[in-house]
C-alpha cells in the first residue's frame, strides 16, 4: 500500500495491483478536520440516531450504497454530514415523523470515501451525532499472491508504521532514501492465509518523538479463495448483446452467503458488491447494466462472502465473457449506408452505359453521313 502525495495509501502485488487511495494527515491538521463538522450543527441532548450502511461499509468503486438513519419517534428531518465538508452533505425528511430515512449513493467514488455522521431534528431540536460510519473501498487479492504495502508521504517522516484493524502491534519500517522530497517505506506481505485480509492504515512518525501522525484513510484487502465453494455466474438475455440493451449478471450459490462480489478482468475500477437474496433455496445477487455499452464488454467473475467476514471471499466463479456489439440503430444506419452506396454505384453504372450508348449511336450516324 502506498501513502502517496499528498499522503496516500495503496497496494501493489506481483500478479496485479490493488489500489485504494486514501489520505494520511499530519497531527497538526486534525483540528481543521474535526471543527468543520462540529460547528455545522448545534447538537442537543436528544439521543443519537442509529446509523448503518447497506450492503456494508466496504464498497468498491462504482457500486451503490445506501446509508440508513433512524432517530427518535418524533424526528422530522435528518442531516448527513461528511467529515471535512464545510456544508451539510445531505438532508432528508421521513415519510412521517419517526420513520427512518435513506441516503442513497448510486455510484461509490473517491468523493464518497470518508467518515459520516447523522443527526435527527425534532421539535425539541437537534440530536447528538450518531456514531461515526466510515465508507471505504475494497480490493480483491488472490490467496498465495505476494503483496507490497507501501506508505509514502510528502511530509519528511523518519519512519512509517502499518496497522491492521484488530491487530495488537504496529509493524514499523524505516523510511527509504527520500526521492524528490517524498518519504516512503515498504511492507511486504504474502497472502497465504485469511489473516492478511482486513483493513489497513499507515502512520508517519519521527525518530525523536514517540507520537504518530493521524492515520491514512483505510485500504481493505479482500482475500479470494478462502471459502471453498465456487459460485455460478450467468447472464440475461445472453452473453452476446447489442449496445443499448439491458443486461443482468446473476451470481448464485447454494451455500448461505451474505454478499456477492462481481469483478471484471483487467478493469481499473474495483469490483461491485451486492447483498445476497434468498430465492428458491438459492442465495443470489443480480448486477444490472442498464443500458449496456461497449465498455461493459469483457470477462467477468463473481465471488461470495459471509457478512461477518467481508474480507474473506470464496473461490471465483467460472469466467463469463460478455460480448457487446453495435446497437440495432447503428446496424440499421450501416445497412442504409450500404444500400445507398450500392444504389449510387448502380446509378453510376447506368450513367456510364447511357453515355456509352449515346456516344456509340452518334459515331454510327457520323459514319453513315460519310
Amino acid at each position: 500500500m502506498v501513502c502517496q502525495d499528498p499522503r496516500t495509501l495503496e497496494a501493489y502485488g506481483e500478479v496485479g495491483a490493488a489500489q485504494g487511495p486514501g489520505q494520511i494527515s499530519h497531527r497538526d491538521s486534525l483540528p481543521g478536520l474535526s471543527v468543520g463538522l462540529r460547528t455545522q450543527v448545534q447538537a442537543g441532548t436528544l439521543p443519537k440516531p442509529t446509523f448503518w450502511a447497506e450492503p456494508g461499509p466496504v464498497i468498491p468503486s462504482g457500486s451503490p450504497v445506501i446509508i440508513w438513519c433512524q432517530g427518535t419517534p418524533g424526528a422530522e428531518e435528518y442531516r448527513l454530514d461528511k467529515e471535512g465538508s464545510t456544508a451539510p452533505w445531505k438532508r432528508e425528511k421521513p415519510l412521517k415523523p419517526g420513520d427512518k430515512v435513506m441516503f442513497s449513493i448510486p455510484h461509490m467514488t473517491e468523493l464518497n470515501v470518508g467518515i459520516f455522521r447523522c443527526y435527527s431534528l425534532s421539535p425539541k431540536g437537534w440530536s447528538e451525532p450518531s456514531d461515526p460510519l466510515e465508507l471505504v473501498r475494497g480490493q480483491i487479492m488472490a490467496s498465495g499472491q505476494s503483496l507490497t504495502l507501501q506508505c509514502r508521504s510528502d511530509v519528511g517522516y523518519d519512519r512509517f508504521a502499518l496497522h491492521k484493524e484488530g491487530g495488537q502491534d504496529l509493524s514499523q519500517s524505516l523510511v527509504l532514501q527520500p526521492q524528490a522530497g517524498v518519504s516512503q517505506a515498504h511492507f511486504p506481505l504474502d497472502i497465504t492465509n485469511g489473516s492478511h485480509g482486513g483493513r489497513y492504515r499507515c502512520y508517519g512518525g519521527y525518530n525523536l518523538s514517540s507520537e504518530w501522525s493521524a492515520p491514512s484513510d483505510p485500504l481493505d484487502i479482500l482475500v479470494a479463495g478462502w471459502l471453498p465453494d465456487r459460485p455460478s455466474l450467468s447472464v440475461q438475455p445472453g452473453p452476446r448483446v447489442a449496445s443499448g440493451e439491458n443486461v443482468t449478471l446473476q451470481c448464485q450459490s447454494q451455500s448461505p452467503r451474505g454478499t456477492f462480489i462481481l469483478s471484471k478482468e483487467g478493469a481499473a475500477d474495483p469490483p461491485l458488491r451486492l447483498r445476497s437474496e434468498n430465492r428458491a433455496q438459492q442465495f443470489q445477487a443480480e448486477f444490472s447494466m442498464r443500458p449496456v455499452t461497449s465498455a461493459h464488454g469483457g470477462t467477468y467473475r463473481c465471488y461470495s462472502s459471509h457478512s461477518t467476514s467481508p474480507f474473506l471471499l470464496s473461490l471465483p466463479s467460472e469466467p463469463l465473457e460478455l460480448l457487446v456489439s453495435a446497437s440495432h440503430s447503428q446496424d440499421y444506419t450501416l445497412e442504409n449506408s450500404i444500400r445507398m452506396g450500392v444504389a449510387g454505384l448502380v446509378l453510376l453504372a447506368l450513367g456510364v452505359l447511357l453515355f456509352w450508348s449515346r456516344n456509340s449511336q452518334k459515331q454510327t450516324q457520323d459514319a453513315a453521313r460519310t
Side-chain angles (χ1 to χ4, degrees):
M1 281 173 239
V2 176
C3 286
Q4 238 177 19
D5 184 26
R7 300 166 184 90
T8 59
L9 183 62
E10 297 177 352
Y12 297 90
E14 292 182 357
V15 178
Q19 301 179 349
Q23 293 187 343
I24 178 169
S25 305
H26 191 268
R27 188 173 298 277
D28 292 342
S29 67
L30 276 178
L33 294 176
S34 58
V35 171
L37 172 68
R38 298 190 178 213
T39 56
Q40 294 170 13
V41 174
Q42 294 297 324
T45 58
L46 297 178
K48 61 184 178 183
T50 305
F51 196 34
W52 72 98
E54 292 183 353
V58 183
I59 309 295
S61 291
S63 297
V65 59
I66 294 175
I67 301 175
W68 293 96
C69 193
Q70 173 73 69
T72 58
E76 300 174 345
E77 184 179 354
Y78 292 88
R79 175 172 174 164
L80 182 65
D81 280 348
K82 182 175 183 288
E83 189 170 287
S85 297
T86 57
W89 204 68
K90 284 187 179 182
R91 285 178 181 264
E92 292 288 346
K93 290 186 177 181
L95 294 177
K96 59 182 180 180
D99 284 355
K100 63 183 179 182
V101 296
M102 176 181 71
F103 298 95
S104 178
I105 300 176
H107 305 286
M108 189 67 177
T109 67
E110 177 82 13
L111 298 177
N112 305 134
V113 174
I115 298 175
F116 294 81
R117 289 177 176 85
C118 176
Y119 300 79
S120 65
L121 176 65
S122 71
K124 296 183 179 180
W126 286 102
S127 70
E128 291 289 331
S130 68
D131 291 334
L133 173 67
E134 188 171 21
L135 295 185
V136 295
R137 297 186 300 173
Q139 304 292 334
I140 296 178
M141 306 301 295
S143 180
Q145 179 176 346
S146 295
L147 186 67
T148 297
L149 312 184
Q150 184 188 51
C151 288
R152 183 170 135 188
S153 175
D154 58 357
V155 176
Y157 293 119
D158 300 317
R159 55 194 174 125
F160 283 103
L162 182 72
H163 179 66
K164 179 175 177 290
E165 189 172 284
Q168 296 180 352
D169 299 319
L170 291 172
S171 299
Q172 297 188 28
S173 177
L174 295 177
V175 171
L176 301 177
Q177 184 67 34
Q179 296 181 358
V182 175
S183 55
Q184 59 181 318
H186 295 171
F187 298 87
L189 290 179
D190 289 325
I191 310 300
T192 55
N193 55 54
S195 64
H196 287 120
R199 179 170 298 175
Y200 292 83
R201 292 178 174 87
C202 78
Y203 301 76
Y206 300 99
N207 290 333
L208 299 179
S209 173
S210 60
E211 292 189 346
W212 292 99
S213 72
S216 68
D217 284 347
L219 175 66
D220 291 323
I221 301 299
L222 311 179
V223 180
W226 182 252
L227 301 178
D229 66 308
R230 189 185 297 273
S232 63
L233 182 62
S234 59
V235 60
Q236 295 294 332
R240 296 177 180 270
V241 295
S243 180
E245 291 188 31
N246 294 334
V247 174
T248 299
L249 295 175
Q250 185 181 72
C251 195
Q252 288 186 323
S253 176
Q254 294 183 348
S255 303
R257 293 292 179 259
T259 56
F260 287 96
I261 298 95
L262 180 70
S263 68
K264 181 184 176 185
E265 189 174 285
D269 291 333
L272 305 176
R273 178 187 289 264
L274 283 180
R275 179 184 289 252
S276 172
E277 296 181 1
N278 190 355
R279 296 180 183 177
Q281 298 181 343
Q282 286 275 356
F283 294 85
Q284 65 181 43
E286 295 183 347
F287 298 85
S288 298
M289 301 176 185
R290 300 180 181 181
V292 71
T293 67
S294 58
H296 290 104
T299 302
Y300 291 83
R301 292 176 175 83
C302 79
Y303 305 78
S304 65
S305 69
H306 291 299
S307 298
T308 55
S309 303
F311 306 107
L312 305 180
L313 310 184
S314 69
L315 293 167
S317 67
E318 294 297 330
L320 186 150
E321 186 175 7
L322 181 65
L323 302 175
V324 182
S325 62
S327 66
H328 295 308
S329 60
Q330 291 174 321
D331 292 341
Y332 295 148
T333 301
L334 180 60
E335 291 175 4
N336 290 335
S337 299
I338 294 174
R339 291 192 184 100
M340 292 178 65
V342 172
L345 290 175
V346 171
L347 290 175
L348 179 62
L350 290 175
V352 172
L353 289 174
L354 180 61
F355 174 79
W356 179 83
S357 176
R358 288 181 177 179
N359 189 54
S360 177
Q361 185 178 9
K362 183 179 179 181
Q363 290 177 354
T364 303
Q365 292 174 351
D366 292 343
R369 290 192 186 99
T370 58

